[in-house]
Amino acid sequence: MKGRGTCPLDPRGIIALPTHSSDHPECAWIMYHQIREVIHTKKTSCYLTFHNYTEIQVSVSSQTMRQQIHKAAVIYSIFCTEQKTSYSFITDGRKRPVR
C-alpha cells in the first residue's frame, strides 16, 4: 500500500490508521476509536492519548495525525453507519486529475 491509507477492518467500526506509509520502518497502526487526544509537541512529532489515558509519542506531526483521524471519521461515517454521502479528501483547492 502506498501512502497513509486508512483501513476499515470491520463494518462494525473497527478502523486502523497508519502513522506513516505501510512500508516505512516506523509505521504504527492506531485504532481510530481508541484515540482521545492529539497533543502537539514539535513540528515532526506528537503524543497520542488513548481513552485509557495511555500516551505514546509518534514521529509524525500533529496536523498529519489529525488529518488521518479526520479521514478515519469520514470512512466510519460512510462504511459503518447508515449515513450515505459523498466526500472528497482534497482540501487545498487544487484540481487533481481523476484516476
Side-chain angles (χ1 to χ4, degrees), residues 57-99:
Q57 185 174 14
V58 291
S59 60
V60 65
S61 72
S62 59
Q63 179 181 353
T64 299
M65 201 68 232
R66 287 187 179 101
Q67 287 174 341
Q68 287 295 90
I69 293 168
H70 182 241
K71 289 177 186 179
V74 171
I75 288 170
Y76 177 79
S77 71
I78 292 172
F79 294 106
C80 304
T81 66
E82 297 300 316
Q83 176 183 337
K84 299 297 178 203
T85 185
S86 62
Y87 192 86
S88 172
F89 289 116
I90 298 173
T91 57
D92 62 2
R94 292 183 287 171
K95 292 185 178 183
R96 310 271 168 120
V98 177
R99 295 178 192 196

Side-chain angles (χ1 to χ4, degrees), residues 15-53:
I15 298 172
L17 50 118
T19 57
H20 298 82
S21 67
S22 60
D23 59 348
H24 191 282
E26 292 185 27
C27 180
W29 288 84
I30 310 294
M31 295 296 124
Y32 163 66
H33 278 91
Q34 298 302 315
I35 300 170
R36 179 181 180 86
E37 184 179 16
V38 178
I39 302 166
H40 174 80
T41 56
K42 51 187 173 181
K43 191 173 183 173
T44 59
S45 70
C46 66
Y47 279 97
L48 298 179
T49 304
F50 298 104
H51 289 292
N52 66 358
Y53 296 98

Side-chain angles (χ1 to χ4, degrees), residues 3-15:
R4 290 186 195 102
T6 302
C7 181
L9 301 175
D10 187 283
R12 292 172 287 184
I14 300 173
I15 298 172

